[in-house]
Amino acid sequence: MSVNLAKGQSVSLQKSSGESLTVVRMGLGWRAAPKRGLFGSRTRQIDLDASALLYAEKTPSDVVFFQHLESNDGSVRHTGDNLVGGSGAGDDDESILVDLAHVPVHITQVVFTVSSYTGQTFAEVQNAHCRLVDESNGQELARYELAGGGPHTGQIMAKVFREESGGWGMQAIGAPARARTFQDMLPAIDPFL
């Protein structure tokens, strides 16, 4: 059963049986919002990019994005860049797989960001979502809907983090940022670590 998360909410990623998840997929989906013009409405292609930043406490350790598709240790993998989106309503346009069992012990959190590489604001995006899926059975665990648009070009979507119990949790962040790349977002991520 999926949990719809609100901004700032957290959820444990323990299975109902008590065992820990092993591999999760963070999916990102979006569509370009139609723009009303003199001759009707039209849409423009939007290139959103999903990135995963691996942190050792508050120190960046590695990043996975469209130009570096796998973390140095192999535990996090981006499935490839989508330049136009289009799924939006439920399917994923970009995915990042996280093998939680093989994330190095010094990595305490993995932060997922979305940036508008082509520079359009989120006011021009609709049906954007970020979701976490148990890759072993395809079950959606949690979903965060990006609502409200806005003048920003980046979004700190969510993070998975090590819990004190040794398992993993997920927190929906949903914080806007001015960014075309994950590098532009680094200062905005700091308060959420």
Side-chain angles (χ1 to χ4, degrees):
M1 171 134 177
S2 179
V3 176
N4 280 322
L5 294 179
K7 191 174 181 173
Q9 255 187 320
S10 294
V11 62
S12 177
L13 297 181
Q14 294 288 97
K15 290 186 177 185
S16 53
S17 62
E19 60 188 298
S20 294
L21 291 167
T22 53
V23 179
V24 295
R25 176 172 31 96
M26 178 64 69
L28 166 67
W30 74 93
R31 284 195 322 218
K35 235 181 166 174
R36 287 215 164 292
L38 187 58
F39 302 106
S41 61
R42 59 183 170 77
T43 58
R44 195 168 125 192
Q45 292 182 345
I46 296 177
D47 179 9
L48 295 185
D49 290 321
S51 302
L53 293 90
L54 288 72
Y55 282 85
E57 298 298 332
K58 295 185 178 207
T59 305
S61 179
D62 199 355
V63 65
V64 173
F65 69 114
F66 68 91
Q67 290 183 331
H68 186 243
L69 294 175
E70 190 169 308
S71 61
N72 295 332
D73 58 60
S75 65
V76 180
R77 186 174 52 86
H78 195 301
T79 60
D81 194 14
N82 181 317
L83 303 177
V84 297
S87 296
D91 294 330
D92 301 329
D93 294 307
E94 290 193 14
S95 294
I96 297 175
L97 296 162
V98 182
D99 186 345
L100 297 170
H102 291 97
V103 172
V105 69
H106 72 283
I107 300 297
T108 56
Q109 47 198 334
V110 180
V111 179
F112 298 96
T113 66
V114 179
S115 52
S116 176
Y117 189 75
T118 44
Q120 290 101 334
T121 69
F122 279 83
E124 298 176 67
V125 176
Q126 72 177 14
N127 294 334
H129 71 267
C130 171
R131 67 188 192 124
L132 200 65
V133 175
D134 180 347
E135 195 63 10
S136 69
N137 61 16
Q139 179 185 359
E140 183 176 284
L141 303 167
R143 174 180 284 267
Y144 175 62
E145 299 289 339
L146 170 62
H152 50 282
T153 53
Q155 183 91 345
I156 304 160
M157 293 293 278
K159 71 177 182 178
V160 291
F161 58 92
R162 290 189 192 271
E163 296 179 309
E164 288 182 26
S165 66
W168 289 87
M170 176 190 174
Q171 179 183 4
I173 298 173
R178 293 199 177 276
R180 286 187 56 230
T181 66
F182 74 86
Q183 293 100 327
D184 299 339
M185 239 179 288
L186 291 173
I189 292 171
D190 284 346
F192 301 100
L193 299 175

